[in-house]
Amino acid sequence: MPPPERFRRLVLEAQKAGRLPSVSAAVFRGGEPVWSDAVGLADADNRRDATTEDQYAVASITKTFTAASVLQLRDEGKLDLEDQLSRHLPEAAHGTPTLRRMLSHASGLQREPPGEIWETLQFPDEEELLSSLEEAEQVLPQSAAWHYSNLAFALLGHVVARVSGVPFREHVETRLLGPLGLERTTWGPTPPDAVPYFVEPYSDALRREPSLELGGKGGESGLYSTVGDLARWGSFLCDPDESVLAAASVAEMHDLQIMAQPDWTRGWGLGIELWRRGERIFGGHTGGFPGFLSILVYSRRDRLGAVLLTNSGRWSDLSGTGLDLAEAALEELAPELEPWSPEAPPPAAIEPMLGRWWSEGDETIFSWRAGKLEARLADALPGREPSVFEPEGEDRFRTVSGRERGEVLRVVRDEQGAVVRLYWATYPFTRAPEIFGPSG
């Protein structure tokens, strides 16, 4: 069947199986939504059909905006990811977790702010949140294990406010939502918006969930959005606008920091959820709120992804359906193959470095591609990204991505200028296999 029919059928099957009042969905590629649709009722009380223009609470997808805000301030030199929380919130008890560990849910802080907030639905404002932190527990040692913490992200929102000098929500609006044109992403609902529902477990009746104001918890939740806006946000996280956030920093957000599942199928970056299916890694985030569930999922390598929003508080296969839709999009919307075309020759100083080199019994191929020096193991699996180097002075390079990232590559030449040896991460590379030691 054509891609739109396949996508719609997948969404309809999920909506029916999950007994979801409505589902709004989109597939995006290369910066633009390429398909979107909505099924079911955005407002069951008034029998109003859902549309792709309806807003839904996206809950913890807000955390991706929080993380991007922290990285913006890091890039401006106003904070460091290794800073302890207490450097920016001195009044915070348990102020030793680093911002990096808080972003990756490895801080050990308890899941929620103190109190029975999900029973009372009374959320603390900023002053109440900070004054209650003495009651908060560090339930695990830092980095001992992945432990999801809304409290950590609520505090990160306050760090952004303190460091930037403007309220957290204002920072997100002026530094992210506005520049990226996310006009239908707002703090709280803006009509048209879906009504939140609880679906009765033993009948097909609905009960309306309360609409919530989060008070001081804005760093971890609070945004409402549409599938179109989230498709644009996902596209940015695949291929960022450097004027908003450096591409290297967005890539850093997707570096694995900690595993969340022992089978290595789910992990966390810096405010980014990571899933593994086979050899493919997907990024994004899920969101859950009374009466709302959501997922944004994408493949950065393919610059393609999917969004699903529903106005039900329960959907047992949320992540699975989101990944299924993204994989279906990858199959149906695979880009046409670009023909190979020749490029300019490498610089004269680079050319003698190219070809096969040996170290530790492994053969590595150094190449010049797209104006960059790169290296990959000769027996690397197909599709494995190479190491890429940037020049750092005469005959000296820095590994900026791939294996040995951060390490120095040094070139040794003889008196005639011929390249006779490379040192990468201090290991010698030679044109023929050699044993360790001076005799080699």
Side-chain angles (χ1 to χ4, degrees):
M1 64 180 69
E5 292 183 18
R6 181 180 177 186
F7 300 156
R8 179 174 171 81
R9 183 172 184 83
L10 190 155
V11 171
L12 279 168
E13 289 175 346
Q15 189 261 353
K16 184 177 178 66
R19 300 191 309 131
L20 307 170
S22 71
V23 177
S24 185
V27 167
F28 59 90
R29 179 179 65 183
E32 293 295 332
V34 295
W35 171 85
S36 62
D37 203 352
V39 300
L41 299 172
D43 183 346
D45 302 320
N46 295 298
R47 309 300 295 178
R48 182 175 71 81
D49 290 337
T51 75
T52 56
E53 289 302 309
D54 279 305
Q55 275 191 340
Y56 294 71
V58 300
S60 288
I61 293 177
T62 304
K63 291 180 172 68
T64 61
F65 292 86
T66 305
S69 298
V70 172
L71 269 292
Q72 284 177 326
L73 296 172
R74 190 283 306 273
D75 289 354
E76 294 167 6
K78 296 178 178 178
L79 56 77
D80 192 280
L81 298 187
E82 306 310 325
D83 288 347
Q84 293 183 347
L85 174 62
S86 57
R87 178 173 180 179
H88 304 289
L89 293 179
E91 65 271 49
H94 312 295
T96 57
T98 66
L99 303 186
R100 179 184 298 278
R101 293 301 173 224
M102 294 171 70
L103 286 165
S104 57
H105 295 292
S107 67
L109 290 175
Q110 68 181 55
R111 183 182 175 99
E112 301 292 343
E116 291 74 38
I117 58 174
W118 290 110
E119 183 176 43
T120 65
L121 299 184
Q122 298 296 313
F123 297 96
D125 60 23
E126 178 180 359
E127 184 177 341
E128 292 169 335
L129 176 68
L130 295 176
S131 66
S132 70
L133 290 180
E134 289 186 0
E135 304 170 34
E137 289 188 296
Q138 181 140 3
V139 297
L140 292 174
Q142 184 173 206
S143 302
W146 177 83
H147 179 75
Y148 196 84
S149 177
N150 282 323
L151 174 59
F153 268 81
L155 295 173
L156 286 169
H158 295 307
V159 169
V160 170
R162 292 279 180 92
V163 173
S164 68
V166 299
F168 168 71
R169 293 185 174 189
E170 182 181 334
H171 178 96
V172 172
E173 289 169 353
T174 59
R175 298 291 303 277
L176 294 171
L177 304 184
L180 295 175
L182 305 184
E183 297 178 357
R184 288 286 288 148
T185 303
T186 56
W187 297 104
T190 303
D193 57 301
V195 176
Y197 289 109
F198 173 82
V199 181
E200 295 284 1
Y202 305 116
S203 74
D204 290 332
L206 302 178
R207 275 191 280 167
R208 186 164 177 165
E209 291 276 16
S211 297
L212 304 181
E213 171 53 47
L214 293 181
K217 285 167 56 66
E220 59 84 27
S221 191
L223 284 174
Y224 282 66
S225 193
T226 64
V227 290
D229 267 19
L230 285 184
R232 282 184 281 276
W233 177 239
S235 296
F236 169 80
L237 292 172
C238 291
D239 186 17
D241 179 346
E242 291 268 0
S243 68
V244 176
L245 183 59
S249 295
V250 176
E252 186 180 355
M253 292 171 66
H254 294 81
D255 286 343
L256 178 68
Q257 302 290 318
I258 193 166
M259 282 292 178
Q261 295 289 355
D263 62 359
W264 291 36
T265 58
R266 183 170 174 244
W268 235 266
L270 300 174
I272 298 292
E273 199 166 350
L274 301 168
W275 299 271
R276 179 177 63 82
R277 275 197 171 183
E279 292 299 313
R280 193 181 299 276
I281 302 297
F282 293 92
H285 214 289
T286 55
F289 209 51
F292 291 106
L293 289 168
S294 53
I295 183 171
L296 166 65
V297 57
Y298 48 80
S299 167
R300 296 195 78 230
R301 184 178 68 183
D302 301 286
R303 299 176 61 202
L304 183 153
V307 183
L308 291 167
L309 306 175
T310 185
N311 54 340
S312 170
R314 186 179 186 277
W315 185 0
S316 60
D317 198 28
L318 169 67
S319 294
T321 305
L323 289 163
D324 287 345
L325 183 57
E327 288 192 328
L330 285 167
E331 294 173 8
E332 299 290 351
L333 302 175
E336 292 188 11
L337 292 176
E338 293 288 337
W340 176 85
S341 60
E343 298 177 353
I350 294 290
E351 193 164 359
M353 299 169 54
L354 305 183
R356 296 174 178 269
W357 294 82
W358 288 82
S359 182
E360 292 193 281
D362 290 321
E363 192 176 17
T364 298
I365 301 172
F366 285 79
S367 307
W368 182 259
R369 309 288 185 206
K372 300 284 186 183
L373 179 66
E374 64 177 42
R376 67 176 75 235
L377 289 170
D379 58 358
L381 294 173
R384 190 64 55 89
E385 294 295 323
S387 297
V388 178
F389 304 89
E390 290 284 355
E392 198 177 75
E394 185 177 357
D395 284 340
R396 180 182 171 94
F397 299 82
R398 183 73 63 176
T399 318
V400 295
S401 65
R403 188 169 63 97
E404 304 293 3
R405 186 175 73 175
E407 295 284 356
V408 169
L409 170 68
R410 183 165 58 89
V411 182
V412 178
R413 302 177 188 266
D414 63 17
E415 293 180 355
Q416 286 72 44
V419 176
V420 295
R421 191 173 292 258
L422 306 176
Y423 288 93
W424 186 17
T426 76
Y427 285 86
F429 283 70
T430 54
R431 284 296 190 183
E434 294 185 1
I435 62 173
F436 279 95
S439 62

